[in-house]
Amino acid sequence: MNASRFSVTPDDDPNELLTAEDRAWISDVYADDVLDPGRVTPAQLAAMNARDRERYRMQRTRYLRMVPLLETSVVRDVMGKLRLIANSAIRSDLHQQDIPILNGEPGVGKTMMLKTHAAEEMMRLALHRSIELEDGTARALTTFRPVIYAHLKSTMTRYDVIRLLCDELGWPSDRNPQRAFERAVARCGVQLVIIDEIQHVNFDGKTGRHVHNIIRWMSNFGLRVVLGGTDADGVLSGVGAPAVEVAARNSRGRWIRVDVPKMEIGGRRELTAWVDLIFSFESRLRLTQAPLEEGWLADNFAEYMWARTQGYLNSLVLLINLAAATAIETGAETIDRKILDSVELEDEVERQRPQRMAKFEADNPAPRRAEGDDDGPDLQDRQAS
């Protein structure tokens, strides 16, 4: 895109400056194209032919699964810190950039926060470019790709990391990938690099020293870098050869640790936040036999769901998604205690399940069966609060 021949007006949509790929990324993050399939009655569902019933199943499953980042106290805190750092930065290779690293256990929602931050920054930096174009100060670019999001999937060397960043831009990485990346940054207007799962780099050896130095070089080059991982202590410990310790010390001088905890329910405010989170998912369930009153899932099963998931966001999402899928598959078309009990979660949260559930049962005894009632208590009425 040649800045000298491209002009904008204040009425133009800045997002049109982004590539179709980046606009699609933003749309996916915010679930813009995910439509509410609506609610149908049991009779309407029964009247559907097999094809329409399967279409409705696909639509309501997608509507439940494709949820944008939901606001919690943890999300507000973490995203607030990322936005503050972004808004205080300027594009200049004369000023080094501080590097936030999101640190937390697997399953607390770091990746969704990083993806949402990437989408926010794409839009913010597109607005900045539109202002620069309007003011006549924009640099000429081949294409405009202000943000790179890279997810490390396995052990990687420094060159693997740089090649991955080039691949994300669609830019060829030749025999000197660092030189290729420099050209890509200049020609694509890159300002922010987000690297998720940074713990896949072996920071104990030579590779770790090189990656520390590459990230510092990006910062010195005027790029903002945001990292995400599960072991910030290990990444920054610098255990090993003296050169590794020096590289880690340099990183500790620039990296800003942003801890992402799991959700707790020890206090009234924390419990309310947990209930509100579950209600956000409840409001997207499209089950024909579910109770009509609001809170039928969130109010009745909040503490049960915390006992099952220990407050890990990914585990909560899995529990609700699989429970909904079971309700649809079995024809129950609602979620009760029996269905929730049947769902198996990740191994880490299942390991202490018997002990946790025994404590939950002791703290939340089932209602006594009425005299003469042969059917026993309704499991759905065993409230978790």
Side-chain angles (χ1 to χ4, degrees), residues 114-373:
L114 288 174
K115 288 183 175 180
T116 301
H117 184 57
E120 288 182 352
E121 285 299 281
M122 287 176 187
M123 293 186 289
R124 190 178 72 91
L125 295 173
L127 174 60
H128 286 194
R129 181 154 178 84
S130 74
I131 293 172
E132 292 168 353
L133 287 165
E134 184 181 4
D135 294 347
T137 59
R139 303 174 184 178
L141 301 175
T142 301
T143 186
F144 182 52
R145 300 292 305 278
V147 178
I148 305 174
Y149 172 87
H151 190 115
L152 307 189
K153 296 179 175 63
S154 60
T155 303
M156 305 188 82
T157 68
R158 58 170 173 163
Y159 287 136
D160 290 335
V161 173
I162 295 175
R163 288 192 180 97
L164 176 60
L165 297 178
C166 288
D167 290 344
E168 292 295 331
L169 286 173
W171 196 273
S173 56
D174 50 28
R175 299 169 81 178
N176 188 335
Q178 185 169 336
R179 184 76 58 82
F181 183 62
E182 288 180 19
R183 291 195 298 269
V185 167
R187 299 306 302 165
C188 299
V190 177
Q191 298 181 52
L192 171 63
V193 175
I194 298 177
I195 303 176
D196 200 1
E197 306 294 356
I198 192 67
Q199 75 277 357
H200 284 310
V201 172
N202 177 16
F203 281 95
D204 293 338
K206 184 177 179 181
T207 293
R209 173 168 59 89
H210 287 160
V211 172
H212 273 299
N213 291 336
I214 283 291
I215 293 173
R216 187 171 73 253
W217 165 79
M218 291 183 192
S219 173
N220 289 338
F221 193 58
L223 289 172
R224 288 191 292 119
V225 180
V226 176
L227 307 174
T230 60
D231 185 19
D233 291 332
V235 170
L236 293 171
S237 65
V239 176
V244 176
E245 294 179 8
V246 170
R249 172 63 186 86
N250 288 334
S251 292
R252 289 197 298 272
R254 296 190 182 183
W255 293 17
I256 301 171
R257 177 168 170 159
V258 180
D259 287 320
V260 185
K262 63 187 182 73
M263 294 188 69
E264 302 290 348
I265 60 170
R268 180 182 297 274
R269 183 174 299 178
E270 293 172 326
L271 177 58
T272 299
W274 179 252
V275 172
D276 289 344
L277 177 62
I278 296 173
F279 180 73
S280 297
F281 289 101
E282 175 191 316
S283 65
R284 297 178 77 92
L285 287 168
R286 296 296 177 261
L287 300 173
T288 63
Q289 297 284 1
L292 297 179
E293 65 271 13
E294 290 186 349
W296 65 269
L297 184 71
D299 293 340
N300 289 337
F301 296 108
E303 291 189 30
Y304 168 91
M305 288 185 174
W306 195 92
R308 286 292 312 277
T309 67
Q310 300 180 74
Y312 290 104
L313 180 60
N314 288 6
S315 298
L316 175 66
V317 171
L318 182 62
L319 177 60
I320 294 175
N321 285 335
L322 291 182
T326 301
I328 294 171
E329 184 70 21
T330 61
E333 288 290 332
T334 191
I335 295 175
D336 56 18
R337 174 66 186 272
K338 182 178 180 181
I339 285 179
L340 290 169
D341 283 343
S342 72
V343 174
E344 294 186 2
L345 302 176
E346 303 93 339
D347 181 67
E348 184 64 27
V349 296
E350 287 289 317
R351 289 189 175 190
Q352 299 295 320
R353 177 177 171 181
Q355 296 90 326
R356 292 198 313 275
M357 297 317 296
K359 183 179 185 306
F360 171 78
E361 299 295 355
D363 293 342
N364 299 272
R368 291 185 177 181
R369 183 172 60 182
E371 189 173 337
D373 184 357

